[in-house]
């Protein structure tokens, strides 16, 4: 099998896991906003977080990386973050300013894509800091969700959840700034040629 055809694969285990994660987004929203089945909703988030880790491990270990995987894996992560912040905002678990900070960062980075395309680039290389930010945010929101309850775990979940949320949001913005630097370098290199 050639390198090109391997990259064009659709039916791989990592892609299947990412598709399943995508299918979990509307289920999560329904659980949180419909019957308010919070335990099940947190379970969906936990499974999504585990499969996010697992699909990357499998893709690297068994050489199952693909173009589609590089699109749907981060798309699933972002959809979970957006679905979670929307649900938690509607349920008054997180404040509007946290949602605004996260969405503002997305708009900031989205502004780079027309510039990149004009110079012949398709996307930016994902770096470790962006993955670390997403990791923090994906752990922050279920913890903040748990903190909105009255069980013995609520206070510990609140402190830990806000720590992840603050670090995650800070890293998310820092990664956005690094993307801006990356875009500037790419554009500068292109204009010099």
């Amino acid at each position: 099998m050639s390198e090109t055809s391997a990259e064009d694969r659709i039916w791989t285990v990592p892609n299947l896991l990412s598709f399943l994660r995508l299918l979990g987004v509307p289920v999560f929203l329904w659980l949180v906003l419909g019957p308010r089945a919070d335990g099940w909703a947190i379970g969906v988030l936990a499974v999504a977080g585990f499969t996010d880790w697992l699909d990357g491990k499998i893709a690297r270990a068994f050489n199952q990386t693909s173009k589609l995987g590089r699109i749907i894996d981060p798309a699933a992560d972002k959809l979970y973050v957006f679905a979670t912040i929307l649900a938690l905002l509607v349920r008054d678990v997180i404040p509007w300013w946290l949602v605004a900070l996260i969405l503002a960062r997305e708009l900031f980075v989205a502004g780079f894509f027309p510039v990149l395309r004009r110079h012949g680039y398709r996307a930016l290389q994902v770096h470790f800091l962006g993955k670390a930010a997403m990791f923090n945010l994906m752990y922050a929101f279920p913890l903040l969700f748990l903190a909105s309850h009255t069980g013995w775990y609520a206070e510990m979940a609140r402190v830990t959840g806000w720590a992840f949320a603050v670090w995650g949001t800070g890293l998310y913005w820092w990664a956005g700034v690094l993307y801006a630097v990356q875009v500037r370098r790419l554009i500068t290199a292109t204009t010099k040629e």
Side-chain angles (χ1 to χ4, degrees):
M1 186 177 269
S2 71
E3 186 78 25
T4 305
S5 62
E7 277 293 302
D8 292 334
R9 291 178 295 193
I10 294 174
W11 300 110
T12 65
V13 172
N15 287 352
L16 177 63
L17 290 172
S18 293
F19 278 125
L20 291 174
R21 261 199 350 270
L22 284 170
L23 292 175
V25 173
V27 173
F28 168 77
L29 281 172
W30 176 77
L31 288 168
V32 173
L33 300 175
R36 294 189 176 217
D38 295 350
W40 286 104
I42 290 170
V44 169
L45 286 179
V47 169
F50 175 72
T51 58
D52 183 33
W53 169 82
L54 185 62
D55 69 14
K57 278 293 217 195
I58 292 171
R60 287 183 293 278
F62 297 101
N63 193 26
Q64 292 192 357
T65 58
S66 66
K67 290 176 189 173
L68 181 63
R70 282 192 287 277
I71 294 169
I72 62 172
D73 180 56
D77 292 346
K78 288 190 186 301
L79 279 174
Y80 266 103
V81 168
F82 292 141
T84 306
I85 63 175
L86 171 70
L88 296 184
L89 181 65
V90 169
R91 292 269 305 264
D92 286 327
V93 172
I94 59 174
W96 67 267
W97 57 263
L98 179 61
V99 175
L101 276 172
I102 292 168
L103 293 179
R105 187 274 190 187
E106 280 302 310
L107 291 173
F108 174 67
V109 172
F112 302 148
F113 293 110
V115 175
L116 285 168
R117 285 202 173 89
R118 208 169 346 154
H119 290 275
Y121 296 100
R122 297 175 102 188
L124 293 169
Q125 186 72 13
V126 176
H127 51 72
F128 177 76
L129 193 59
K131 290 180 182 182
M134 192 59 68
F135 170 85
N136 276 272
L137 292 174
M138 288 184 82
Y139 277 87
F141 298 130
L143 287 167
L144 291 173
F145 200 31
L146 285 172
S148 70
H149 295 91
T150 57
W152 59 268
Y153 50 81
E155 184 61 20
M156 184 173 60
R158 185 183 67 78
V159 171
T160 309
W162 274 108
F164 274 117
V166 169
W167 273 105
T169 305
L171 290 173
Y172 209 45
W173 268 98
W174 188 7
V177 169
L178 291 179
Y179 286 134
V181 170
Q182 186 179 358
V183 168
R184 185 170 180 262
R185 287 182 182 153
L186 287 171
I187 302 309
T188 303
T190 302
T191 55
K192 287 182 179 179
E193 292 174 354

